[in-house]
Amino acid sequence: MSKVRVSKRKVCCHGDENDEGSGHPLIYLDMGEEEEIACPYCEKTFVHDCTVEAVGEVSVRQSGLRNNR
């Protein structure tokens, strides 16, 4: 599954919004002092990165694409 960089240590997950078949109930995850946490349903991994302005897929960030604002 994908890795997502986040600026907060508390995140929510409801599966892959791009794939209707991989959705699951909305859950909230708390990293505590850890640097990453994986969703127990879909295994999407959230990685804490205090330099990230908004939530974004790691693969998108690495390709140089940015969200339009």
Side-chain angles (χ1 to χ4, degrees), residues 7-25:
S7 60
K8 307 280 184 190
R9 292 190 177 274
K10 293 182 181 180
V11 296
C12 64
C13 185
H14 56 84
D16 185 357
E17 58 272 356
N18 297 324
D19 181 1
E20 292 180 24
S22 70
H24 59 69

Side-chain angles (χ1 to χ4, degrees), residues 34-48:
E34 299 297 321
E35 292 301 314
E36 63 182 48
I37 193 166
C39 173
Y41 287 102
C42 67
E43 298 181 8
K44 181 184 287 188
T45 302
F46 297 89
V47 180
H48 181 254

Side-chain angles (χ1 to χ4, degrees), residues 28-63:
Y28 294 89
L29 306 166
D30 187 346
M31 290 183 210
E33 295 298 317
E34 299 297 321
E35 292 301 314
E36 63 182 48
I37 193 166
C39 173
Y41 287 102
C42 67
E43 298 181 8
K44 181 184 287 188
T45 302
F46 297 89
V47 180
H48 181 254
D49 182 348
C50 63
T51 64
V52 174
E53 292 180 23
V55 174
E57 298 286 333
V58 171
S59 59
V60 172
R61 293 267 181 207
Q62 290 174 345
S63 68

